[in-house]
């Protein structure tokens, strides 16, 4: 049994405890209290003026894109950003070379140093799986498939070996469709079926990110259509759904409580309410949204709708770093009315639940092994939760155990 004392303990499953003590037994949380459960003072390690909280969950990354850091500049229109990305990345999508893997390892070191314990990582090549295992980073890897012209789920079968080879590293791997503008309904449905009958029935999808996506779904026109035609991916028999992104997926039975809907920048209140009613999780990545030209997400509306909100950074192709605390700072700036505790819960427990990792991670609850973060505090912090969403830097972060 080891016990840690700190100026503040933020268990997430309840209010912060001033002068709190966290007891850890065999790597598991045994108790959180303001005095310790009768343990002698000599056994308590006093960490001083810090806040202890569970490791953070980054619910949306693309670690394999880490080599693109600084190479894809911010854009004013999403399709322009995508064009640059696709141009630089062409021919490398399935590569697992040192040039791609070394930046993944660096990125994992950085995200650990900024307090992240687990990720929901979207991947085409599965290049991040081995580095994740080597670094002890937890999480779920979503093997992303796409193809606007796919007329069935044949792609699932033809990529099965690739997943089987990566699965030997012991990281949970499941399938994911990319987005409605890049993935046919037939492929979407086949992925949903395959995922539902697997031992990791979680699915993630990019949804409602850009106005161009909405235009394509509502009217069948706009820059996305132009781009699909240019690259030869357009389908003449594609029926314009004439509805919004959430309605489109719901119509085809593709949304449920096991779905992580990423971005949602363009979603109206009705769509957010539907996500809430279905029990889906909305993963917000505000800094990336701004970078790729779709504008900031309506964070206050997200929370007002009651939908479960998790936090992601997206990839280093659209954000400066993978620090979830920096994402929280942006969320606080965008949504002053949302309680700091709700934001912290999004970056911990909500993400853990969405990824099926909450038996172990997400809060300092008895029996869990969430990792303990000690965040250095300045003197006289009046509201510790507010401070924790004000922009914590890696220099303030220490892993206690
Ligand atoms: Zn993404």
């Amino acid at each position: 049994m080891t016990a840690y004392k700190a100026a503040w303990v933020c268990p997430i499953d309840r209010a912060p405890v001033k002068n709190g003590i966290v007891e850890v037994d065999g790597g598991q949380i045994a108790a959180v209290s303001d005095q310790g459960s009768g343990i002698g003072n000599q056994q308590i390690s006093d960490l001083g003026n810090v806040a202890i909280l569970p490791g953070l969950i980054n619910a949306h990354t693309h670690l394999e894109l880490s080599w693109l850091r600084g190479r894809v500049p911010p854009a004013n229109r999403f399709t322009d950003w995508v064009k640059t990305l696709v141009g630089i990345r062409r021919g490398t999508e399935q590569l697992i070379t040192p040039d791609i893997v070394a930046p993944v390892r660096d990125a994992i070191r950085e995200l650990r140093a900024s307090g992240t314990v687990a990720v929901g990582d979207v991947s085409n090549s599965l290049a991040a799986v081995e580095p994740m295992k080597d670094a002890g980073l937890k999480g779920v890897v979503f093997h992303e498939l796409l193809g606007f012209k796919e007329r069935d789920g044949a792609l699932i079968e033809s990529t099965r070996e690739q997943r089987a080879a990566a699965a030997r590293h012991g990281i949970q791997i499941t399938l994911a469709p990319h987005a409605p503008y890049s993935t046919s309904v037939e492929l979407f449905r086949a992925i949903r079926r395959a995922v539902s009958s697997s031992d990791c029935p979680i699915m993630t999808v990019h949804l409602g990110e850009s106005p161009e996506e909405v235009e394509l779904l509502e009217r069948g026109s706009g820059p996305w259509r132009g781009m699909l035609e240019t690259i030869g991916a357009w389908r003449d028999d594609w029926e314009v759904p004439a509805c919004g992104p959430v309605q489109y997926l719901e119509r085809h039975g593709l949304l449920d409580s096991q779905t992580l809907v990423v971005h949602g920048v363009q979603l109206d209140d009705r769509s957010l309410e539907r996500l809430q009613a279905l029990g889906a999780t909305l993963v917000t990545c505000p800094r990336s949204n701004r970078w790729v030209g779709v504008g900031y997400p309506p964070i206050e509306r997200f929370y007002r709708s009651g939908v479960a909100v998790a936090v992601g950074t997206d990839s280093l192709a659209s954000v400066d770093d993978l620090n979830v605390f920096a994402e929280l700072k942006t969320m606080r700036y965008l949504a002053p009315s949302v309680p700091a505790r709700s934001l912290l819960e999004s970056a911990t427990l909500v993400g853990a639940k969405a990824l099926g990792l909450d038996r172990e991670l997400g809060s300092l609850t008895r029996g869990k092994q969430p990792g303990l973060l000690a965040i250095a505090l300045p003197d006289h912090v009046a509201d510790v939760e507010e401070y924790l969403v004000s922009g914590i830097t890696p220099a303030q972060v220490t892993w206690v155990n």
Side-chain angles (χ1 to χ4, degrees), residues 60 62 206 314:
H60 187 72
H62 300 252
H206 297 88
D314 220 329

Side-chain angles (χ1 to χ4, degrees), residues 60-62 122 206 262-263 314-315:
H60 187 72
T61 57
H62 300 252
V122 179
H206 297 88
V262 181
H263 298 311
D314 220 329
S315 82

Side-chain angles (χ1 to χ4, degrees), residues 310-393:
V311 184
T313 55
D314 220 329
S315 82
L316 287 170
S318 60
V319 74
D320 288 323
D321 58 56
L322 304 182
N323 181 1
V324 172
F325 282 116
E327 217 61 57
L328 287 173
K329 180 184 180 180
T330 305
M331 290 168 75
R332 159 50 77 234
Y333 164 74
L334 294 171
S337 74
V338 176
R341 186 173 307 171
S342 302
L343 300 177
L344 288 172
E345 198 182 337
S346 287
T348 51
L349 195 51
V350 178
K353 278 183 184 163
L355 293 170
L357 303 170
D358 58 312
R359 281 166 60 118
E360 197 185 340
L361 309 179
S363 62
L364 304 181
T365 307
R366 189 182 167 82
K368 289 194 184 186
Q369 303 180 44
L372 294 186
L373 290 182
I375 308 299
L377 300 173
D379 292 339
H380 314 300
V381 168
D383 182 335
V384 68
E385 292 171 310
E386 200 59 58
Y387 182 75
L388 291 172
V389 300
S390 72
I392 302 300
T393 64

